[in-house]
Amino acid sequence: MELITLKNVYKTYPNGVGAIYDLSLSIEKGEFVFIIGGSGSGKSTLIKMLYREEKPTRGEIIVGGVKVANLKNSKVYKLRRKLGVVFQDYKLLPKLTVYENVAFALEVVGADNSKIRGRVLEVLDKVGLKHKAKSYPDKLSGGEQQRVAIARAIANNPKILICDEPTGNLDPNISMEIMDILKKINEELGTTILMVTHDITIVEKMKKRVLVLKEGRLVKDYKEGTYKHEEF
Ligand code: ADP
């Protein structure tokens, strides 16, 4: 089943800078896909269009059955319920505990109050941080903060998890711990994962599908297990 489809997508920013040119691709349910490419190649623009932070100038984007390109602001919540997003800088709320950060994500989508507690503890357990539920983010290491951000992103059981350089601020061994968690989420929950990264070591180790962007174009689509490092 196709979960993400882009057809002939173009994006030019209002200042005239072109970011994406004639991009078409499809991603199936359950896939784990890396998006790589040099700085300015369009990686962030691509994923921002998937969660409707940016709109394409032209073309069609369908995410989890929702036509995203022309989605009205008032309907964006329908899309966001299908997606979890993880950022390089975690974006946790500093005044809330780990538990409250995750619970908040469920409260804003109107989850049933009686179910929130159990669900929060379940996802914290999934990322190995149940014992830190009462801690505040500034008392956690970077890797732990990112694990909380992952727990928050999956709390609502999204079909798709979008990760924008989730290991960008972390040491190599901590990065691999984050990758183990993402792999587990992909395999055990069947969540489709899209991850932007600069870290070729991770890409080589994971042996997943790899999309390569260059100057706003998709220049390579390596099937699972076929990626080899090349200069583009
Ligand atoms: P990457 O994530 O691969 O570094 P981006 O998607 O951020 O690439 O950027 C692609 C191109 O779009 C670059 O030329 C960048 O300068 C430009 N760009 C990105 N965001 C904006 C913006 N908000 N306004 C104008 N140009 C932008």
Side-chain angles (χ1 to χ4, degrees):
M1 192 178 86
E2 267 183 35
L3 259 195
I4 298 175
T5 309
L6 283 83
K7 284 187 193 150
N8 308 110
V9 171
Y10 291 76
K11 172 69 182 180
T12 304
Y13 283 101
N15 64 358
V17 174
I20 294 288
Y21 299 91
D22 199 17
L23 186 67
S24 296
L25 61 90
S26 72
I27 293 172
E28 301 273 320
K29 182 173 182 343
E31 279 197 272
F32 195 129
V33 183
F34 287 106
I35 300 167
I36 65 171
S39 177
S41 61
K43 304 180 297 295
S44 308
T45 302
L46 166 59
I47 59 170
K48 282 181 183 163
M49 289 192 295
L50 299 179
Y51 58 89
R52 234 307 240 103
E53 177 78 22
E54 293 288 349
K55 285 183 185 173
T57 313
R58 179 140 73 90
E60 193 172 10
I61 302 180
I62 303 169
V63 176
V66 179
K67 286 192 173 186
V68 178
N70 298 311
L71 196 65
K72 292 199 179 90
N73 286 341
S74 62
K75 299 280 194 261
V76 168
Y77 74 93
K78 289 194 177 178
L79 171 70
R80 301 275 164 90
R81 283 182 177 188
K82 296 179 189 282
L83 291 176
V85 188
V86 173
F87 301 95
Q88 178 171 2
D89 59 357
Y90 328 127
K91 298 199 191 298
L92 300 176
L93 297 168
K95 295 208 164 88
L96 300 185
T97 64
V98 164
Y99 177 92
E100 289 162 350
N101 264 279
V102 179
F104 184 65
L106 290 166
E107 285 156 11
V108 295
V109 297
D112 186 342
N113 257 332
S114 65
K115 300 206 171 116
I116 289 181
R117 187 177 163 78
R119 182 63 185 158
V120 172
L121 295 176
E122 193 182 341
V123 289
L124 285 176
D125 195 37
K126 197 118 219 108
V127 301
L129 278 185
K130 208 168 155 185
H131 61 293
K132 297 275 183 175
K134 291 188 175 136
S135 301
Y136 285 87
D138 65 356
K139 296 289 182 296
L140 303 179
S141 68
E144 287 171 334
Q145 290 186 56
Q146 191 59 294
R147 286 197 268 159
V148 177
I150 292 170
R152 177 179 61 181
I154 63 167
N156 198 28
N157 209 10
K159 290 183 167 39
I160 304 165
L161 184 61
I162 294 178
C163 306
D164 191 355
E165 304 223 26
T167 63
N169 289 341
L170 303 173
D171 293 340
N173 57 329
I174 304 296
S175 295
M176 283 322 295
E177 286 176 23
I178 295 294
M179 294 317 299
D180 287 342
I181 290 169
L182 294 178
K183 189 163 182 280
K184 189 168 86 171
I185 290 168
N186 174 245
E187 287 171 0
E188 293 179 6
L189 306 177
T191 313
T192 303
I193 300 189
L194 253 71
M195 172 169 158
V196 169
T197 187
H198 274 121
D199 191 335
I200 295 304
T201 309
I202 287 178
V203 174
E204 287 179 331
K205 276 197 185 142
M206 295 286 289
K207 305 196 186 330
K208 301 294 188 186
R209 183 176 173 192
V210 182
L211 304 175
V212 185
L213 292 183
K214 186 184 180 192
E215 294 168 3
R217 294 173 200 277
L218 180 65
V219 293
K220 203 89 188 183
D221 181 351
Y222 293 94
K223 301 293 163 229
E224 197 168 302
T226 67
Y227 175 76
K228 3 182 236 342
H229 184 50
E230 300 174 42
E231 293 300 328
F232 286 96

